[in-house]
């Protein structure tokens, strides 16, 4: 699980104080970046908590402050952490107003909290999440390998895969006919994908497609990208050469 502004605000060692958009703190933070540039946008990727003391930003100018906050918002910055006590004795009211107007969460960083402490906290949570994801991937790989070498063969693999997906899985031959499906209730859904499987089989390997396995599957195979509407619509398929 990625760190969020809310989890950082709750961290007892950081002491961050939300000043605006307190109802929008459950947004993931993909990195904590320090910048004193008046326009840090060229150096951002989106998803950052930007940390600044306002060294280069004319925070006494409402128009410039508003433009600064709008640029950050448009660049995908998820939150602004402001450290008073260096260049500004307190968090400037104009910055608070601009962040409130733009809906950008503003967190006040207390003077005793160094910016690097925030960066280290975010980095540690991201590293833990990467480790968890990698470990889970290896565990799934071992589970599927054992199933493949077991007496049930492909059906055993599909059953384990469907369990991992919390949905269903199917193996099709090149004609688009289902060879094996798990769980059994998904057979009808798998059968409806015959045309898409044949189209996919005609591509160079490896190939994949994203589609809605429900009644509204589009003829181009992309379907409705809004996501599954119920557990029965979450599935995975493979083509048997």
């Amino acid at each position: 699980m990625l760190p969020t502004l809310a989890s950082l605000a709750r961290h007892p060692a950081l002491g961050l104080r939300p000043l605006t958009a307190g109802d929008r703190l459950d947004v993931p933070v993909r990195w904590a970046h320090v910048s004193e540039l008046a326009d840090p946008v060229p150096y951002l990727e989106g998803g950052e908590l930007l940390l600044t003391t306002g060294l280069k930003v004319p925070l006494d100018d409402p128009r410039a402050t508003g433009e600064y906050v709008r640029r950050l918002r448009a660049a995908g910055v998820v939150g602004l952490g402001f450290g008073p006590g260096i260049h500004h004795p307190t968090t400037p009211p104009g910055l608070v107003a601009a962040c409130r107007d733009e809906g950008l969460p503003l967190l006040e960083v207390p003077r005793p909290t160094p910016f690097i402490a925030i960066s280290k906290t975010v980095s540690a949570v991201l590293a833990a999440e990467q480790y968890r994801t990698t470990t889970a991937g290896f565990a799934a790989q071992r589970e599927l390998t054992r199933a493949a070498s077991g007496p049930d063969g492909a059906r055993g693999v599909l059953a384990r895969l469907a369990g991992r997906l919390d949905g269903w899985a199917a193996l099709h031959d090149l004609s688009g006919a289902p060879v094996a499906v798990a769980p059994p209730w998904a057979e009808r859904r798998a059968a409806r994908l015959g045309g898409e499987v044949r189209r996919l089989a005609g591509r160079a390997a490896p190939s994949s497609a994203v589609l809605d396995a429900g009644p509204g599957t589009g003829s181009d195979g992309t379907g409705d990208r809004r996501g599954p509407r119920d557990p029965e619509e979450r599935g995975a398929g493979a083509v048997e050469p």
Side-chain angles (χ1 to χ4, degrees):
M1 186 175 184
L2 294 176
T4 64
L5 294 176
S7 66
L8 294 175
R10 291 192 301 265
H11 199 293
L14 300 179
L16 305 181
R17 185 164 70 97
L19 299 182
T20 64
D23 58 340
R24 302 182 184 180
L25 300 182
D26 289 331
V27 58
V29 176
R30 300 189 179 279
W31 198 248
H33 180 67
V34 181
S35 177
E36 300 293 354
L37 296 175
D39 184 12
V41 169
Y43 306 98
L44 302 175
E45 294 183 345
E48 297 94 352
L49 169 62
L50 186 69
L51 305 172
T52 184
T53 63
L55 173 62
K56 296 291 187 179
V57 183
L59 296 178
D60 55 345
D61 182 341
R63 180 177 179 180
T65 302
E67 291 176 351
Y68 172 73
V69 173
R70 283 191 290 274
R71 284 197 299 269
L72 299 184
R73 190 67 163 161
V77 170
V78 298
L80 179 63
F82 186 83
I86 304 295
H87 305 292
H88 298 270
T90 62
T91 301
L95 180 61
V96 177
C99 288
R100 182 180 296 114
D101 290 344
E102 294 299 322
L104 180 67
L106 174 63
L107 305 178
E108 186 175 82
V109 183
R111 184 67 182 89
T113 301
F115 284 171
I116 194 171
I118 302 172
S119 299
K120 284 183 175 180
T121 299
V122 172
S123 180
V125 176
L126 292 175
E129 173 63 15
Q130 184 177 27
Y131 176 78
R132 185 199 65 80
T133 302
T134 302
T135 302
F138 282 131
Q141 183 182 38
R142 289 194 298 268
E143 182 180 346
L144 295 176
T145 300
R146 287 196 298 268
S149 60
D152 294 331
R155 286 178 172 77
V157 172
L158 290 177
R160 298 297 180 89
L161 181 58
R164 286 279 178 174
L165 293 173
D166 189 25
W168 59 272
L171 175 67
H172 296 73
D173 61 22
L174 293 178
S175 72
V179 176
V181 181
W185 54 255
E187 291 179 358
R188 187 174 59 181
R189 291 187 180 274
R192 286 205 299 263
L193 298 181
E196 303 299 340
V197 171
R198 288 191 296 273
R199 182 177 64 85
L200 189 61
R203 296 180 179 180
S207 297
S208 63
V210 178
L211 52 92
D212 182 351
T217 300
S219 60
D220 64 349
T222 57
D224 183 355
R225 292 176 180 268
R226 293 174 298 175
R229 290 181 291 272
D230 61 65
E232 292 190 3
E233 292 182 9
R234 290 193 294 267
V239 179
E240 182 182 46

